[in-house]
Amino acid sequence: MISSKSVLVGAALALGARAALPRLLLLKFAPAVAKLNAGDHTALLDAYADDFVLHFNEGSHRWAGDWIGKAAMDRFLQNFTAAAIKGEIRQIATSGPLWALTMWVRFDDHADAPDGTRIYENSTVLVLRTRWGKVVEQHDFYVDTEQLARFDRKLTELGIEPVPRPAD
């Protein structure tokens, strides 16, 4: 027979572990984001499944639309690092079981021109759906979507051409 004390201890442990999960995810992703900020996107790319889909804000900019497959995410992140975007995870929230987790990530990013002038700054909420620890789908929601188009025009003026998407 299971005692009520055992049930309470088990429930307390489960709740504690669940509460610690966002912090553990932040610790897991922080080194990959630091590498991304330094221009190396490969560590972050490892978090994505081969059949991954990114749904990005529509508009007249190099990142617009759906990016389908890990190879497409590789190109997306190459555009991110070529633009010298720097970002920071501000907060993570989660729901669902570990094998099918949904994460909400507050991610703030910015970029500076070669002369140090800030040419882009935005706040984002990323909604990521995972399957067995790999991200399979991501939606990015920006506070100011027009910032993306202005930033893309500035990158073109600076001679930073977009990395093309992989052929379908």
Side-chain angles (χ1 to χ4, degrees):
M1 184 155 126
I2 300 175
S3 73
S4 59
K5 182 179 179 182
S6 295
V7 171
L8 287 175
V9 167
L13 287 173
L15 287 172
R18 188 63 180 188
L21 183 58
R23 180 74 180 137
L24 293 173
L25 288 166
L26 183 59
L27 290 171
K28 173 188 175 183
F29 285 110
V33 171
K35 287 181 180 180
L36 182 68
N37 288 340
D40 177 9
H41 70 282
T42 57
L44 189 59
L45 190 61
D46 289 340
Y48 295 92
D50 290 338
D51 61 346
F52 167 78
V53 178
L54 169 62
H55 305 284
F56 202 80
N57 177 268
E58 292 294 336
S60 58
H61 54 84
R62 64 188 71 199
W63 297 280
D66 290 345
W67 295 74
I68 301 170
K70 193 170 187 172
M73 187 58 173
D74 181 47
R75 299 289 177 88
F76 179 90
L77 292 172
Q78 286 178 38
N79 273 310
F80 191 94
T81 56
I85 299 171
K86 309 288 185 236
E88 180 181 0
I89 297 173
R90 296 287 188 180
Q91 186 176 7
I92 297 177
T94 63
S95 70
L98 292 178
W99 58 89
L101 196 66
T102 298
M103 297 186 295
W104 291 268
V105 179
R106 163 107 184 268
F107 188 79
D108 293 348
D109 58 357
H110 67 274
D112 297 333
D115 67 1
T117 305
R118 177 79 23 114
I119 57 174
Y120 170 75
E121 190 167 25
N122 220 332
S123 292
T124 315
V125 172
L126 314 175
V127 180
L128 302 102
R129 207 172 44 79
T130 69
R131 181 178 58 233
W132 297 108
K134 293 284 187 178
V135 179
V136 295
E137 185 177 33
Q138 178 175 324
H139 292 263
D140 290 10
F141 300 95
Y142 281 80
V143 168
D144 184 352
T145 56
E146 183 52 34
Q147 283 280 358
L148 297 168
R150 281 194 299 269
F151 180 45
D152 189 52
R153 288 190 296 272
K154 186 65 176 174
L155 291 173
T156 301
E157 288 172 18
L158 292 170
I160 301 168
E161 293 300 319
V163 175
R165 294 174 189 245
D168 292 329

